[in-house]
Amino acid sequence: MEKIKYFLNPMARLGYPYYSILVPVVGTVIACILLETVAFSVQNQTVSGITVIFASIALVLYFTFRDGTKGGFVTIVILVAYYFYIVYTRQEMSQWESSFQTIFILTAAYLLIASLIGWLKQTLDLLIIKEKLSTQMAEEEKLRFKSIIQQLPVAVRVANIAENKVEGNKKLEQLLKRKINHSFAKEVEYMASRTYKNGKKFSVEDLSLLKAIKKGKKILSEEVEFIRDDKKRLFLSVSSTPIYNSKKQITSVVSTFYDVTPEREYQQRKDNFINMASHELKTPITSMNLYLDLLLKKVKKTNNSTLLTPLLNVRSQTQRLQELVSDLLDVSRIQTGKLRVKKQEFLLNELVREVCDLFQQTRKDKKIIIKNSKPIVVVADRFRIYQVLTNLLTNAIKYSHKGSEIIVREKVTNGSALISVQDFGIGIAEDERKKIFDLLYQANDTKERTFPGLGMGLYISKEIIKKHRGKIWADGKKGKGSTFYFTIPLK
Ligand code: ADP
């Protein structure tokens, strides 16, 4: 039945350019035979003539629409032949001329109809074919994209906003141990209920997927904790990229998930080790120092110089050890987010003077100069700022030549106190000025690496200044010296 419908219905054949000549020929011949039978039974020339003309128009229209211009023309040829047959069999010779004229006019009209309808059909066919091809291509493109995503060695999720569909590739399903094929709302609900940051549950708007939509741009490598259905905790680095259509509307968001659990677990073990080691070392060193103090007191009383010098040496070494342990403890506090600052009001210029005097007393080979000193009241953690100043001065002394000057400047600018420590030592290369604030980073090359240190001081200083909402940076020229700056907002 469907086949007959398709065979007879010219509309159903649109877009399938299989034009036939045989069907119009057979169809028109059958129609002419039928018309002949009708003409015989009616016996009225006018009625049968009108019937023939209407039937002819219908035949030309039908076959042109079904089989194109060629189909229409074939129909017209048969019809014209039939008209000549009618004239020859039923009219006197005297009427032939006027009849031929009518045939000629009718033929011209039919040809016009066939050309117009044929052109219309061809245009429609072309349009439909084009549309079909582009949908087919789009479909193929979609399939290709899907299979590429499926085979990627990275866990990928595609959230199709337009189709309200979220799908994940095999790698993602393996990683999350879950099938990802559901609606947008379900994905948001699922991710938000299982994602954590620093042990706290995620709010919906923190999801990288929604952030990418809200901001309309790529959200890069955000690290989150994710609790899987089997209760395993994963550390994931998630990036989301919004995809736009030609109207600049976001149609989907592609996200990648990297499992960084092994790295994080290693980091966690390292942090725990630093934490434990520094705590374990702190107690024996403190008691060593106490006993050394006691011993020193006794030796000083007896005036035993052979014992005093080695004892003073041991004490200076244990003090150095104590400083290292205290730096390790600070690093551990920073990494676990436990570095606290206790703010109080004090005069920053007094603190600067205090630290500089202390250094000047012990380091006579350097000249520490304070410039532009004036009272600056700040609300900050006095001990921690003392630590920053100590670190900058220690470095300035450590990385500069004997006898050179160190200049400390104080200033109030843009609502902040600005302190700078300038030395005329080895300096820092421009590309390393930012890196030296990273943990365990030491800028100097092997030739210069004769300076003791572990690369913790500037990292701790940066975190302390960050806690005060200030800034810390370095300037200067390699070989000419460096200047370190830090600011503390006054309010
Ligand atoms: P440490 O001095 O213990 O190595 P820091 O974190 O204090 O660690 O400093 C990191 C690195 O920055 C140092 O190893 C050194 O290369 C560089 N640096 C710091 N201060 C100066 C300075 N005043 N002049 C030249 N280089 C410096």
Side-chain angles (χ1 to χ4, degrees), residues 366-367 369 371 396-397 399-407 409 421-427 477 479-483:
K366 301 271 155 74
K367 199 165 178 217
I369 304 162
K371 281 195 178 166
I397 290 170
Y399 298 106
S400 63
H401 318 290
K402 238 185 168 180
S404 64
E405 285 181 348
I406 289 158
I407 305 171
R409 291 183 176 86
V421 178
Q422 183 181 16
D423 67 61
F424 300 91
I426 60 166
K477 266 198 178 136
K480 296 254 161 40
S482 2
T483 311

Side-chain angles (χ1 to χ4, degrees), residues 422-473:
Q422 183 181 16
D423 67 61
F424 300 91
I426 60 166
I428 311 154
E430 202 179 334
D431 57 335
E432 293 193 298
R433 273 184 217 150
K434 271 199 177 138
K435 295 187 211 156
I436 53 170
F437 293 95
D438 292 344
L439 182 59
L440 307 183
Y441 191 86
Q442 290 184 296
N444 309 313
D445 54 40
T446 39
K447 218 169 55 190
E448 284 170 337
R449 198 157 287 163
T450 44
F451 304 100
L454 286 173
M456 290 190 285
L458 287 181
Y459 170 73
I460 297 168
S461 302
K462 181 185 76 181
E463 293 301 321
I464 292 173
I465 295 299
K466 233 185 350 195
K467 279 267 170 200
H468 285 86
R469 291 180 296 110
K471 280 188 188 137
I472 185 164
W473 70 98

Side-chain angles (χ1 to χ4, degrees), residues 145-146 148-150 152 154-162 165-169 172 184 187 207-213 216-222 237-244 250-258:
F145 178 66
K146 255 191 178 174
I148 291 173
I149 283 188
Q150 274 303 332
L152 276 178
V154 182
V156 180
R157 176 190 64 196
V158 181
N160 193 326
I161 301 163
K165 203 168 160 192
V166 179
E167 285 173 287
N169 69 352
L172 183 67
F184 195 84
E187 173 67 8
L207 288 174
S208 115
L209 170 65
L210 292 191
K211 265 205 250 174
I213 296 174
K217 58 179 188 191
K218 220 178 197 173
I219 303 294
L220 272 178
S221 314
E222 284 205 328
S237 170
V238 191
S239 300
S240 292
T241 312
I243 311 283
Y244 288 87
I250 299 175
T251 52
S252 48
V253 179
V254 178
S255 308
T256 53
F257 296 77
Y258 280 97

Side-chain angles (χ1 to χ4, degrees), residues 241-299:
T241 312
I243 311 283
Y244 288 87
N245 64 9
S246 54
K247 287 179 199 151
K248 297 219 161 88
Q249 293 161 328
I250 299 175
T251 52
S252 48
V253 179
V254 178
S255 308
T256 53
F257 296 77
Y258 280 97
D259 183 11
V260 288
T261 316
E263 287 94 319
R264 277 306 138 261
E265 281 174 354
Y266 171 70
Q267 176 84 30
Q268 195 92 56
R269 279 203 300 276
K270 212 173 72 187
D271 291 351
N272 288 347
F273 173 75
I274 294 178
N275 194 13
M276 263 171 53
S278 43
H279 274 102
E280 288 296 317
L281 285 168
K282 200 179 144 186
T283 333
I285 291 169
T286 318
S287 39
M288 257 166 77
N289 266 333
L290 280 172
Y291 284 120
L292 270 171
D293 277 349
L294 247 162
L295 257 174
L296 267 168
K297 255 188 206 163
K298 287 212 164 155
V299 171

Side-chain angles (χ1 to χ4, degrees), residues 187-200:
E187 173 67 8
V188 169
E189 187 200 342
Y190 170 69
M191 287 311 275
S193 68
R194 289 177 178 271
T195 313
Y196 294 79
K197 186 122 198 173
N198 298 328
K200 278 189 207 136

